[in-house]
């Protein structure tokens, strides 16, 4: 590979412009030239990348992560949480203390439904945004919350016996 470079002036150290001499490049100078070209290209790529990454800075606040929308509770979730609470269980047990042993499970089921409907009626504004509350309120309108749970369990047993007969 031959390059033409200006030759130095004979009487001074300045380069003279009109005369050019061929220079033969050694293998080492070719390697240096190749590295210089690669570094120049790499520097250009880094400048381009830095423009893209300019928004990130190690001392700035981390970008806010968008949290997924919270799951909207359903009336079934609320009902399960309320009915499985120890207080609720204590109240249903107390309401069904006078029921016969074979009627206690049905009595507690009916008492639970009545108590939950009462709670739903009292706290309607609290549960208005719960998914499925309208359907549950419509179902609760069919339940007589003033009827005694023990009597309701007896009535239910009589109705089931009548269906079997």
């Amino acid at each position: 590979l031959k390059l033409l470079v200006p030759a130095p002036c004979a009487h001074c150290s300045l380069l003279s412009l009109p005369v050019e001499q061929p220079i033969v490049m050694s293998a080492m100078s070719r390697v240096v030239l190749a590295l210089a070209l690669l570094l120049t290209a790499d520097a250009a790529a880094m400048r381009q990348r830095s423009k893209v990454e300019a928004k990130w800075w190690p001392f700035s606040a981390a970008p806010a992560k968008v949290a997924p929308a919270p799951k909207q509770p359903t009336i079934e979730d609320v009902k399960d949480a309320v009915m499985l609470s120890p207080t609720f269980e204590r109240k249903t047990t107390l309401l069904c203390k006078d029921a016969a042993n074979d009627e206690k499970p049905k009595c507690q089921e009916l008492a639970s439904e009545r108590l939950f409907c009462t709670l739903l009626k009292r706290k309607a504004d609290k549960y208005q945004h719960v998914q499925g509350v309208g359907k549950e309120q419509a179902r609760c309108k069919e339940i007589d919350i003033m009827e005694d749970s023990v009597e309701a369990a007896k009535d239910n047993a009589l109705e089931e016996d009548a269906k079997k007969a």
Side-chain angles (χ1 to χ4, degrees):
L1 180 65
K2 292 184 179 182
L3 289 178
L4 297 176
V5 292
C9 180
H11 61 284
C12 67
S13 63
L14 295 174
L15 296 175
S16 64
L17 295 176
V19 181
E20 294 182 347
Q21 295 180 339
I23 296 178
V24 178
M25 292 185 70
S26 67
M28 182 61 119
S29 59
R30 285 187 205 136
V31 170
V32 171
L33 180 63
L35 281 174
L37 290 173
L38 284 174
L39 290 175
T40 304
D42 193 39
M46 287 176 64
R47 274 193 301 271
Q48 185 67 23
R49 191 177 327 136
S50 71
K51 288 179 185 176
V52 172
E53 295 174 353
K55 293 180 184 175
W56 183 84
W57 178 249
F59 302 110
S60 63
K65 293 182 180 178
V66 178
K71 180 187 169 205
Q72 186 178 6
T74 62
I75 194 67
E76 288 82 21
D77 296 336
V78 172
K79 191 173 184 179
D80 289 344
V82 169
M83 287 183 162
L84 294 175
S85 72
T87 304
F88 201 83
E89 186 177 340
R90 230 183 358 260
K91 288 181 181 182
T92 57
T93 302
L94 184 64
L95 287 170
C96 294
K97 69 178 181 186
D98 296 332
N101 286 338
D102 59 333
E103 293 175 352
K104 278 197 185 209
K106 190 63 177 177
C107 178
Q108 287 181 335
E109 178 186 334
L110 294 170
S112 294
E113 291 295 325
R114 283 171 169 68
L115 278 175
F116 185 76
C117 287
T118 303
L119 173 75
L120 194 60
K121 188 174 183 177
R122 278 191 209 153
K123 307 278 184 168
D125 56 330
K126 181 179 178 181
Y127 298 114
Q128 68 182 351
H129 298 293
V130 176
Q131 185 178 2
V133 73
K135 193 175 186 181
E136 187 69 19
Q137 286 172 331
R139 191 188 65 74
C140 284
K141 285 183 181 178
E142 297 174 10
I143 295 175
D144 182 10
I145 60 174
M146 298 307 290
E147 184 181 14
D148 184 17
S149 298
V150 177
E151 292 299 318
K154 287 179 184 177
D155 291 344
N156 193 332
L158 289 174
E159 287 175 17
E160 287 180 18
D161 288 342
K163 287 180 186 176
K164 291 178 184 176

